[in-house]
Amino acid sequence: MPHGWIIFDKPLELGSTQAVGAVKRNLREAGLLGKGKDKTKVGHGGTLDPLATGVLPIAIGEATKLCGRMLDASKIYDFTIAFGTETETLDVEGAVSETSDHLPTLEQIKAVLPQFTGPIEQIPPKYSALKIDGKRAYDLARAGDKIEMKTRNVMIFDLSVVSPLEAEGELVSVTLSAHVSKGTYIRSLARDIARGLGTVGHVSMLRRTKAGPFTLEHAISLDKLNEIGKGANIKDYLLPLEAGLDDIPAFALTPDQARLLRHGMTLDEQDLIGNPAQKQGLHGLFLATEGDSPVALAELLDGTVKVVRGFNL
């Protein structure tokens, strides 16, 4: 059974759950999905709205144990703010809720972006999947209930202009690139930038270009994905499990050490062997391997190595 990542270039109007379903269907058609307790697990590493496109990491098999880390990873988005109208959903799907005749200039946009870079506070959209008293905010909003969304702290690592669309010096829209922390709502960011410019706006295009270590260069289209179900070798499209852990060091274990970790045992730091230079600075999370095979996501803390997530490979 396959274990690893398919990086999907999600098209418009396809939900993240539907994308996972498309991967399962192709695995089933290729005879790789399995049945019952041997059924291959499939999950995604970060929801993308149907109106968004781009990088959607889909984990297969043992890689699903890393979906939580992928959800926590930073993301990069390209998004277009259409000025002059704000909608209830803050994107093209909602009804217009506010308008403004004022259009900003490119210089004004560049001048305001630093205000939205670094640690910022934002109010999530009412039309979002956040839960309020156990119910989804978008369900409450559609029912006409009054909703008070709580402010959250997020980090905008970088924010820059990609391309403007001018009308006699004023901008009817602008496309920005944002590198953001988990929990950031791009629709809220676009709303706040527009209001910071003395106007209103909504997101007319949203494309994720990077999620964790994965970029559009790794991504395959729906047509390519469907080739797996028609007999194409999945290895041509599958990235290894450890590709999702490129931000932490790897350490090679002996067979005996690997066996202990596979059984949930701990290791003493002094038992680790190898080049002392390899151990230097090894602290916290690391990928424990035996040869080319991942054994566990492990943690070295206070001189003891413990398993965080074990891989059955």
Side-chain angles (χ1 to χ4, degrees):
M1 294 299 172
H3 302 279
W5 300 91
I6 285 181
I7 311 305
F8 185 42
D9 188 351
K10 191 191 82 62
L12 274 173
E13 300 183 354
L14 188 73
S16 299
T17 301
Q18 292 173 304
V20 169
V23 172
K24 288 182 176 180
R25 172 177 54 80
N26 277 280
L27 291 178
R28 185 182 304 110
E29 292 173 356
L32 297 171
L33 190 61
K35 296 180 180 180
K37 65 178 182 179
D38 295 324
K39 190 173 183 179
T40 300
K41 293 181 180 180
V42 182
H44 66 75
T47 301
L48 270 181
D49 293 338
L51 293 179
T53 67
V55 175
L56 179 63
I58 298 181
I60 298 176
E62 289 296 285
T64 56
K65 295 177 178 179
L66 300 175
C67 282
R69 280 181 56 82
M70 196 55 58
L71 291 171
D72 290 342
S74 67
K75 315 288 194 303
I76 298 179
Y77 296 89
D78 285 352
F79 64 103
T80 300
I81 307 174
F83 296 114
T85 57
E86 185 175 303
T87 67
E88 292 180 348
T89 57
L90 304 181
D91 57 23
V92 297
E93 194 174 40
V96 174
S97 57
E98 191 172 346
T99 62
S100 172
D101 293 330
H102 174 66
L103 295 176
T105 65
L106 180 58
E107 289 72 23
Q108 289 170 335
I109 292 173
K110 290 180 177 179
V112 82
L113 292 187
Q115 298 179 25
F116 299 93
T117 305
I120 66 168
E121 292 184 343
Q122 65 172 202
I123 299 175
K126 292 186 296 182
Y127 287 84
S128 65
L130 289 176
K131 286 189 175 181
I132 300 176
D133 296 329
K135 296 182 179 180
R136 299 291 186 185
Y138 55 66
D139 288 331
L140 296 172
R142 288 167 183 162
D145 295 348
K146 187 176 181 180
I147 306 172
E148 183 177 350
M149 304 300 292
K150 295 182 179 179
T151 300
R152 59 168 53 190
N153 296 314
V154 298
M155 175 67 74
I156 312 298
F157 300 104
D158 187 62
L159 186 60
S160 60
V161 174
V162 176
S163 61
L165 180 60
E166 294 189 29
E168 297 181 356
E170 297 177 327
L171 299 187
V172 294
S173 67
V174 67
T175 299
L176 305 176
S177 177
H179 181 192
V180 303
S181 68
K182 72 169 184 175
T184 302
Y185 278 92
I186 297 298
R187 286 177 291 153
S188 295
L189 181 61
R191 173 200 61 204
D192 296 343
I193 289 173
R195 291 180 179 180
L197 289 163
T199 183
V200 294
H202 66 274
V203 172
S204 60
M205 184 280 294
L206 178 60
R207 183 163 175 76
R208 188 154 68 194
T209 60
K210 188 175 183 181
F214 302 121
T215 69
L216 286 169
E217 293 180 359
H218 303 113
I220 63 171
S221 66
L222 181 58
D223 288 341
K224 287 288 186 182
L225 177 63
N226 289 337
E227 289 180 5
I228 296 172
K230 298 175 182 177
N233 191 337
I234 192 173
K235 291 182 179 179
D236 293 338
Y237 307 106
L238 192 69
L239 297 179
L241 175 152
E242 56 267 31
L245 296 171
D246 76 336
D247 59 332
I248 63 173
F251 189 86
L253 303 176
T254 66
D256 285 342
Q257 291 169 342
R259 177 179 54 80
L260 289 173
L261 287 191
R262 287 193 177 103
H263 285 84
M265 307 289 283
T266 62
L267 296 175
D268 189 274
E269 181 179 11
Q270 300 303 317
D271 295 334
L272 296 180
I273 65 171
N275 187 330
Q278 186 182 16
K279 289 194 296 183
Q280 186 176 2
L282 186 63
H283 185 77
L285 287 175
F286 69 97
L287 175 63
T289 65
E290 182 186 9
D292 295 330
S293 179
V295 173
L297 177 63
E299 184 176 32
L300 173 58
L301 190 62
D302 297 329
T304 301
V305 175
K306 297 181 179 180
V307 173
V308 176
R309 297 304 300 264
F311 304 121
N312 298 317
L313 298 173

